[in-house]
Amino acid sequence: MTHRTRLQAAFLCCSALLFFATFSLPSFAQQESENAEASVSLDKQFTLDEDSILGEIDDDDKTLSRLVDQSELTGLEFLNEGVAPDSIEQLKAMQAHVASLYERVEPAVVNIRSGMGQGSGVVITSDGYILTAAHVISIPNRNAVITFPDGSMAKAQTLGLDRGLDAGLLRIYEMIPAKSDSEVASDEEESEEEAEEEAEEEEADEEETDEDETEEEETEEGETEEEPDEEDSDDEESETDSDEEEKPPAKRERFKIQDDLPSFSYLEIGDSDQLKLGQWIIAVGHPGGLDKDRGIVLRVGRVNQITKDVVRTDCSLVGGDSGGPLIAMDGSVVGIHSKIGRLLRENFHVPSNEFLNNWTALLEPVVLDRQAELSIKLRGESNVIDSVTRRSLADRSGLKVSDRIIRIGEKEIYDKLQFDDAISNLKPYQEVEFEVRRKGKNKILNVVLGEKSLLRGIR
């Protein structure tokens, strides 16, 4: 899209919105009065200290910020006051400002491919942290492919996510070298195959409850397997294997940050508590998915509702926009696209302050608001594993039938009660060190926990 075409598009968009806003403006004032109690309280004293939230920022990296200088907003104060332009001069000024915002925000708005899904995201630090929606990345601690508007690509690690809030975080750790069209096609086929394998593994985890119930019934109806005395077995094995000490496996270094990783253009996080009803706002993303010829799409709208957990606007969104940024007229990110409402122009966004309030937690690759569960069953009330669900995270982590769990993290385990207590304090997809007794030897395993479904079984 040429600069002239963008300006024409912005002019048409602003003209249409001027007509719409002129006749709908009273409704915002009425809604602000009627919904005063439902709206977010602006009494909360929240100071955005970027250095303390995101770490110390070098002066050189500050030049990569796409934030608009306040001097450029002179004469455009009405954009944040919930009123429409009242003259051709104001409309033209708004048009020019929206066009300039497109150029500013474009480098920081990315496409995200994670598993079998894709969506949008926004870079918010020069070292490659990306905000998106939880449902876009789906699972913590796995690879995602990031595509920038200029076509360059990178690998990112999915970090923490909050499913209820629909907030997710990633970090870029490696750039992907430019490839020929045939190499790109080959990589896409491999990604699809990996995504299908991941989907199969998740389906296998969801079948755990039915499989375990079937196995339990078969065990009760059939002959009971003779089990050697656990203590005697340990003693006998110790006599033959005591000279061999099991060493912890070398932890595979995943997501190692590339030494020469470049600094990225980014958008700064704004204070969503300062949003006002009727305020002009911009939604950016990749509607319908990545389109390299078209690039990102910018839509102008207004804030219709503000609560602690949700901002609702009339910016038009469709599939593929999820995870993209809601941007204030100063170029700061004040929300992330979450859900599409019943109407095309009724959409919901996660307020930016919810990301800041949960920043430390989101840095860990876990699910914040769900219970952890391990796809195993213990023998009675003991600490000995009786069954492990095939292809589950527990199985892939190396846990086996007849392993005696003697430690989880720093907690010693002697029975099922202590096991349940230890698991209850952990998060889904958290990697925890397990110490088990197997054939007379102590063995260290790095175990990844599963996620307990809200309905039943394991996710």
Side-chain angles (χ1 to χ4, degrees), residues 58-66 266:
D58 296 335
D59 291 338
D60 291 342
D61 289 343
K62 267 288 188 182
T63 62
L64 296 168
S65 169
R66 316 303 290 180
Y266 66 95

Side-chain angles (χ1 to χ4, degrees), residues 16 26 59 66 85 144 175 191 218 243 247 276 280 304 316 351 382 419 435 446 448 456:
D59 291 338
R66 316 303 290 180
M175 295 303 295
S191 294
E218 289 175 353
D243 294 335
K247 294 182 179 180
K276 299 177 182 178
W280 292 94
N304 292 338
S316 299
S382 74
F419 170 84
E435 185 175 359
N446 295 312
V448 179
R456 68 179 184 86

Side-chain angles (χ1 to χ4, degrees), residues 68 73 79-80 97-98 101 280-282 300 327-331:
V68 175
L73 296 174
L79 295 175
N80 293 330
H97 183 65
V98 169
L101 274 181
W280 292 94
I281 213 80
I282 292 174
V300 180
I327 298 173
M329 288 296 173
D330 65 355

Side-chain angles (χ1 to χ4, degrees), residues 213-224:
E213 287 175 359
T214 303
E215 289 173 6
E216 192 173 318
E217 289 172 4
E218 289 175 353
T219 302
E220 290 175 355
E221 293 173 3
E223 296 181 1
T224 303

